[in-house]
Amino acid sequence: MSRLITPSSAYPGLRIDGARLSRRIARLAEIGAIEGDGVCRLALSDTDREARNLVCGWMRDLGLSVTIDRIGNVVGIRDGQPELAPVMTGSHIDTVATGGRFDGSLGVLAGLEVIETLNDAGIDTRHPLAVGFFTNEEGARFAPDMLGSGVHQGALDLEEMLAVTDINGCILGAELQRIGYAGDTEVNRLRAHCYVELHVEQGPVLEQEGFAIGAVTGVQGISWSEYRITGTSNHAGTTPMHLRHDAGYLAAAISTEARNLAKTMGGSQVATVGMIRLLPNLVNVIPSEALLTLDLRNTDESLLREAERHMEAFIRQAAAREGVLVSNRKLARFEPVAFDGDMIGLVEQTAERMGLTCRRMPSGAGHDAQMFAPNCPTAMVFVPSRHGISHNVTEYTSPEALAAGANVLLHVLLNRAI
Ligand code: GLV
Ligand code: MN
Ligand code: MN
């Protein structure tokens, strides 16, 4: 029988060391540092290897046994009773090309901070504690996003994901080998007792409404598509408008329609054309080719399908009118995920017990936690993001807010592990 979930009271005064957490975040952010305090650490790049080595070193220093699986996920385990499933936390250390220093890294390093706090206090837990970082969460180099955690929990196929290529044709499996992180631990085996992930909100809600902590109720559905449009290159000055087959025009029309769609649908629907690449990309030449991505998200699966259908019909009709060819490829498709009610309640009660204001909220961003949700009770803890900015070098959360989130993480993990 599962134990009643009540906020942890075994060590109510125990707190993580916020300065130590911030020091680790700053040290990790040196790897792949870019101008403006940001980080570029694309999955399986040389900088990712360097960051992995650093975090693995910290894990070993803390006495964790470190495993690397076949898709490069790294999990450090602190002993408990060996017959019990681990209570797990984690996130990712890859970033988008223009990333901040908190997205993902916070969840991993807060996990290590929890371990060090327990080590320092001499506290043993019945359940082992596991801290993981998962390959290619961002999807900024290889699609889909949450690739490593998806394989870890059996939602994505290992062989298929090892064969994924980036925009330059580099194969994920080969890149894993190259950086020395093609491990031999089998995937889709570890079933956690529960999974809790701390993350920056990456949106404006907590800051605007003055809450310290978000108890995340779930993650919205994500649909990523790539479109390749083939038109005809011709002279920009001599080709009459009615004779053009302009791939660039269609790319722009798709972007505009995506915005109109989100505006018309309202609610949680968002739509983004984040990448457009034109060929030959010259001032006086009608583009012969456009490659673009479309990101659609909604908390409601049926509305997300409606948005997908609308865009598909629009693109088909607009392409026919312009006389261009369009091929498309699904890069990622995840249905909305609801987190566990008891775990959400535990996050909320733990925060309130510590005197921290807390609000329930859905996540707009994708997270590794969503891959665990079908297999074990899962929840997330959010802390505010300044001005709601993320995937941007100016992403910022104050050291105090980071520490507050890590303390909630500590007591939620303790509650489930002790
Ligand atoms: C991952 O960061 C995503 O939500 O795009
Ligand atoms: Mn993230
Ligand atoms: Mn991100």
Side-chain angles (χ1 to χ4, degrees):
M1 204 179 91
S2 75
R3 292 182 309 147
L4 191 67
I5 298 188
T6 53
S8 171
S9 55
Y11 303 93
L14 190 67
R15 294 292 180 271
I16 60 95
D17 181 336
R20 190 167 58 193
L21 172 61
S22 286
R23 275 199 302 278
R24 280 209 180 96
I25 290 171
R27 171 69 190 97
L28 183 54
E30 288 171 12
I31 302 175
I34 54 176
E35 206 175 328
D37 278 346
V39 181
C40 174
R41 210 161 49 227
L42 293 172
L44 312 187
S45 60
D46 289 350
T47 47
D48 187 16
R49 166 172 42 199
E50 201 186 326
R52 284 164 172 265
N53 291 346
L54 178 69
V55 177
C56 285
W58 282 335
M59 285 180 162
R60 293 193 179 98
D61 291 347
L62 292 172
L64 302 183
S65 23
V66 176
T67 63
I68 304 171
D69 73 20
R70 294 188 58 203
I71 200 80
N73 298 315
V74 175
V75 178
I77 301 185
R78 182 178 192 259
D79 284 348
Q81 293 175 15
E83 72 282 7
L84 295 180
V87 165
M88 189 153 181
T89 189
S91 197
H92 59 98
I93 61 170
D94 68 318
T95 73
V96 297
T98 56
R101 50 177 56 197
F102 303 100
D103 177 358
S105 296
L106 171 62
V108 178
L109 301 182
L112 297 190
E113 181 52 39
V114 166
I115 300 289
E116 189 152 12
T117 301
L118 297 181
N119 287 356
D120 289 351
I123 296 171
D124 291 329
T125 54
R126 288 193 316 125
H127 285 268
L129 280 168
V131 182
F133 61 88
F134 303 100
T135 297
N136 190 60
E137 188 274 352
E138 290 291 6
R141 182 175 179 200
F142 298 99
D145 47 353
M146 284 81 70
L147 187 151
S149 47
V151 172
H152 191 265
Q153 289 297 297
L156 298 171
D157 180 71
L158 171 67
E159 298 304 332
E160 227 177 278
M161 292 304 119
L162 285 171
V164 164
T165 53
D166 72 5
I167 199 157
N168 301 314
C170 295
I171 301 163
L172 187 143
E175 286 293 273
L176 260 184
Q177 296 276 359
R178 187 185 69 80
I179 69 162
Y181 275 87
D184 52 16
T185 298
E186 281 306 323
V187 297
N188 196 14
R189 295 279 165 84
L190 193 158
R191 288 291 176 260
H193 179 61
C194 63
Y195 180 89
V196 190
E197 178 172 346
L198 171 63
H199 206 284
V200 287
E201 180 200 336
Q202 310 181 268
V205 176
L206 292 175
E207 182 184 69
Q208 278 182 5
E209 297 185 5
F211 287 93
I213 298 291
V216 184
T217 50
V219 181
Q220 63 184 348
I222 301 175
S223 167
W224 284 1
S225 303
E226 179 189 80
Y227 294 93
R228 189 178 294 274
I229 304 165
T230 311
T232 308
S233 230
N234 209 337
H235 195 293
T238 61
T239 314
M241 296 311 288
H242 71 282
L243 292 180
R244 294 179 181 219
H245 307 290
D246 184 340
Y249 165 72
L250 202 77
I254 293 171
S255 179
T256 306
E257 185 62 15
R259 170 62 67 93
N260 289 340
L261 169 78
K263 209 167 149 198
T264 308
M265 286 182 73
S268 71
Q269 182 64 50
V270 286
T272 308
V273 171
M275 192 276 283
I276 300 183
R277 220 171 58 174
L278 299 180
L279 285 178
N281 209 25
L282 298 169
V283 63
N284 56 356
V285 183
I286 296 166
S288 58
E289 190 176 300
L291 187 70
L292 71 135
T293 56
L294 175 63
D295 175 322
L296 300 171
R297 306 193 195 199
N298 200 306
T299 49
D300 182 305
E301 174 63 17
S302 61
L303 291 175
L304 183 56
R305 286 201 191 141
E306 193 179 309
E308 289 176 318
R309 276 196 299 271
H310 175 91
M311 289 307 298
E312 278 158 26
F314 172 84
I315 293 166
R316 212 172 30 249
Q317 288 158 16
R321 276 197 303 273
E322 185 66 14
V324 296
L325 292 174
V326 180
S327 64
N328 72 314
R329 195 160 71 91
K330 210 59 176 170
L331 297 180
R333 185 62 168 86
F334 300 112
E335 290 190 9
V337 168
F339 288 151
D340 180 81
D342 285 347
M343 294 294 291
I344 299 166
L346 177 61
V347 169
E348 198 168 45
Q349 290 163 41
T350 303
E352 282 164 5
R353 209 179 166 108
M354 299 174 96
L356 298 164
T357 53
C358 181
R359 178 201 203 279
R360 290 186 177 219
M361 60 190 302
S363 170
H367 295 291
D368 294 308
Q370 74 191 83
M371 295 302 168
F372 284 77
N375 294 333
C376 67
T378 298
M380 290 187 73
V381 181
F382 273 177
V383 287
S385 293
R386 185 178 64 188
H387 308 321
I389 298 280
S390 185
H391 285 185
N392 181 317
V393 295
T394 63
E395 174 186 87
Y396 179 76
T397 300
S398 72
E400 297 73 26
L402 299 173
N407 276 317
V408 173
L409 181 70
L410 165 71
H411 283 283
V412 170
L413 292 173
L414 254 187
N415 177 280
R416 304 309 289 137
I418 212 131

